[in-house]
């Protein structure tokens, strides 16, 4: 369910998937028609579609297209397809989580798999809205308990709104919901190098909702916090493991460490589909490496001298000791993360 005026990043139409091309936003609104598993893989890899939840939904429809296009599904073909799709982006656990669920669904009855996978994808997107709303309510409750009715200056990193989730959003969902309830004075939006999800996407979504905000380079966070201009930080997650260590867009960990230094509360917001209960600490998370060209150029315009190279990890690990609270649709985990997160899955 999308809010009025929000762009729809992903929709299923009869027999194919339609994705908005997030690489071109906000200046150009164009859509890609996806009819094969291979196209799904590529759209995830080159970031036509992005954000852990939307990557997960795209994967479900990708597996549906595989079931549709494959006349005879056998175990080997299924394994190859699943591994291929999972390899598109390794850090966002929603991708592997949804592909594994689709494999089980296909195995249970390959003949009816296409229809069931399409319905499954649509159900998951609908469910996400209710989960996002529940997280937003928990986030606002937490802010109210801490700050009463003070109007707050909130900071966020990357994009965790409609474009990442297909509905309200995780961190941006808390921010937008809290704004509607009168609790937000303004939002600081990290530009989020190198893909500029903050400058291009989050500010666009906040602008559409008339939420006061300003874009800042991420290096400005420390100065803003030193000046007392940030009341709390909200970010999303691509993978949260058993002890609360969290993989999110590169730059998140620096923000968390800085926030702790200045006593600014730092919250991670993510549905339980972004939790990886098979991994016990951040060291076990694979960090996606992306092309160096993303750092050296902007929208195809080369900035660095020819011959200069770059190192481009797309995510980082925030150790749980820097996180004030982790909010999922099941509530908030604080303090002893191993015990508290485990409660989400009971
Ligand atoms: O590389 P991206 O744009 O897919 O990274 C997105 C993020 O890091 C988000 O914070 C995360 O996926 C959570 S989205 C609700």
């Amino acid at each position: 369910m999308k809010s009025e005026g929000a762009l729809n990043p992903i929709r299923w139409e009869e027999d194919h998937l339609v994705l908005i091309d997030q690489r071109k936003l906000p200046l150009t609104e164009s859509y890609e028609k996806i009819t094969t598993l291979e196209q799904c893989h590529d759209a995830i890899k080159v970031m036509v579609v992005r954000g852990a939840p939307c990557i997960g939904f795209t994967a479900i429809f990708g597996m549906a297209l595989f079931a549709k296009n494959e006349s005879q599904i056998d175990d080997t073909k299924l394994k190859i397809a699943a591994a291929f799709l999972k390899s598109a982006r390794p850090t966002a656990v929603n991708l592997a989580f949804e592909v594994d669920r689709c494999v089980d669904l296909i195995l249970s009855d390959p003949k009816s798999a296409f229809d069931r996978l399409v319905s499954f994808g649509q159900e998951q997107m609908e469910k996400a809205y209710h989960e996002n709303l529940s997280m937003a309510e928990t986030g606002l409750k937490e802010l109210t308990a801490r700050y009463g009715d003070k109007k707050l200056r909130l900071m966020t990193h990357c994009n965790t709104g409609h474009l990442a989730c297909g509905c309200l959003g995780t961190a941006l969902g808390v921010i937008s919901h809290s704004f509607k309830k009168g609790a937000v004075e303004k939002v600081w939006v990290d530009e989020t190098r190198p893909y500029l999800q903050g400058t291009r996407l989050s500010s666009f979504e906040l602008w559409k909702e008339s939420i006061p905000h300003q874009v800042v380079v991420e290096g400005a966070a420390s100065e803003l916090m030193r000046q007392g201009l940030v009341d709390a930080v909200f970010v999303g997650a691509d993978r949260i493991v058993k002890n609360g260590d969290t993989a999110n867009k590169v730059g998140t960990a620096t923000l968390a460490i800085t926030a702790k230094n200045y006593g600014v509360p730092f919250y991670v917001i993510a549905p339980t589909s972004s939790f990886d209960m098979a991994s016990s600490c951040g060291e076990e998370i694979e960090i996606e490496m992306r092309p160096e060209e993303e750092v050296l150029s902007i929208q195809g315009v080369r900035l660095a001298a020819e011959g200069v190279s770059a190192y481009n990890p797309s995510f980082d690990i925030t150790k749980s000791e820097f996180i004030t609270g982790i909010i999922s649709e099941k509530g908030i985990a604080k303090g002893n993360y191993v015990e508290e997160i485990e409660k989400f899955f009971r």
Side-chain angles (χ1 to χ4, degrees):
M1 196 187 294
K2 74 181 188 76
S3 303
E4 221 169 293
L7 290 173
N8 195 358
I10 169 169
R11 67 175 190 275
W12 180 260
E13 271 183 12
E14 261 174 65
D15 59 355
H16 63 272
L17 183 64
V18 179
L19 297 172
I20 198 165
D21 189 342
Q22 299 199 32
R23 297 169 302 177
K24 299 184 180 149
L25 289 173
L27 302 181
T28 306
E29 186 180 328
S30 67
Y31 293 85
E32 283 206 0
K33 180 177 174 182
I34 306 285
T35 57
T36 65
L37 173 89
E38 290 71 20
Q39 288 173 345
C40 259
H41 169 276
D42 292 353
I44 294 171
K45 195 176 172 75
V46 303
M47 293 171 71
V48 165
V49 62
R50 47 149 299 280
C54 272
I55 291 172
F57 304 141
T58 304
I60 300 176
F61 293 118
M63 292 304 284
L65 289 167
F66 164 76
K68 174 174 179 280
N69 297 336
E70 211 49 66
S71 51
Q72 197 87 46
I73 299 176
D74 60 39
D75 268 16
T76 314
K77 278 185 191 164
L78 185 56
K79 264 194 198 138
I80 292 172
F84 174 62
L85 199 48
K86 282 185 191 179
S87 72
R89 293 197 74 186
T91 305
V93 76
N94 299 59
L95 175 57
F97 174 73
E98 296 301 4
V99 170
D100 287 341
R101 297 207 293 176
C102 292
V103 167
D104 291 344
L105 221 137
I106 294 173
L107 287 174
S108 69
D109 180 11
K111 286 214 172 71
S112 66
F114 171 62
D115 289 335
R116 287 185 300 130
L117 284 169
V118 171
S119 307
F120 180 61
Q122 285 162 336
E123 275 160 33
Q124 294 316 302
M125 287 178 62
E126 187 61 38
K127 192 169 150 227
Y129 173 76
H130 301 287
E131 290 176 352
N132 284 196
L133 189 59
S134 154
M135 294 189 280
E137 284 164 352
T138 305
L140 175 58
K141 216 160 125 193
E142 174 69 14
L143 286 175
T144 311
R146 191 177 270 271
Y147 289 109
D149 57 11
K150 179 179 179 218
K151 278 195 177 259
L152 303 168
R153 288 95 26 104
L154 305 176
M155 180 171 265
T156 192
H157 190 66
C158 198
N159 170 264
T160 59
H162 275 86
L163 290 164
C165 302
C167 56
L168 186 63
T170 56
L172 220 53
V174 173
I175 291 172
S176 141
H177 177 74
S178 302
F179 174 76
K180 283 183 197 129
K181 301 288 176 189
V184 177
E185 179 186 318
K186 79 175 288 185
V187 186
W188 298 111
V189 181
D190 265 1
E191 68 168 351
T192 317
R193 286 277 297 145
Y195 190 78
L196 303 175
Q197 289 94 329
T199 308
R200 296 189 303 105
L201 309 177
S202 296
S203 67
F204 186 43
E205 294 196 38
L206 291 166
W207 172 76
K208 274 184 173 279
E209 290 193 64
S210 303
I211 301 177
H213 65 281
Q214 280 185 301
V215 177
V216 289
V217 298
E218 41 249 68
S222 172
E223 183 52 21
L224 263 64
M225 289 181 193
R226 187 191 67 80
Q227 291 182 24
L229 298 175
V230 184
D231 297 306
V233 181
F234 286 90
V235 299
D238 283 77
R239 189 184 294 235
I240 301 169
V241 295
K242 269 178 153 173
N243 72 346
D245 288 355
T246 295
N248 192 47
K249 183 50 51 193
V250 69
T252 302
T254 318
L255 194 55
I257 294 164
T258 310
K260 184 157 186 180
N261 182 65
Y262 286 106
V264 174
F266 184 96
Y267 295 97
V268 173
I269 323 294
T272 45
S273 52
S274 298
F275 286 66
D276 169 9
M277 296 304 278
S279 301
S280 41
C281 66
E283 274 65 34
E284 293 171 31
I285 303 176
E286 182 183 350
I287 297 292
E288 175 188 355
M289 293 301 297
R290 294 201 55 88
E292 56 182 307
E293 207 42 44
E294 288 181 355
V295 175
L296 301 171
S297 307
I298 289 186
Q299 308 265 350
V301 178
R302 175 90 183 183
L303 302 177
E306 285 309 322
V308 170
S309 84
Y311 188 71
N312 187 16
S314 191
F315 298 96
D316 61 21
I317 306 293
T318 301
K319 306 295 284 177
S320 59
E321 68 206 69
F322 297 104
I323 301 173
T324 311
I326 299 178
I327 294 172
S328 81
E329 75 278 11
K330 304 278 168 143
I332 182 163
K334 280 180 177 178
N336 185 335
Y337 284 113
V338 174
E339 277 179 18
E340 295 283 307
I341 289 175
E342 209 259 323
K343 283 187 202 157
F344 289 167
F345 292 89
R346 259 181 222 163

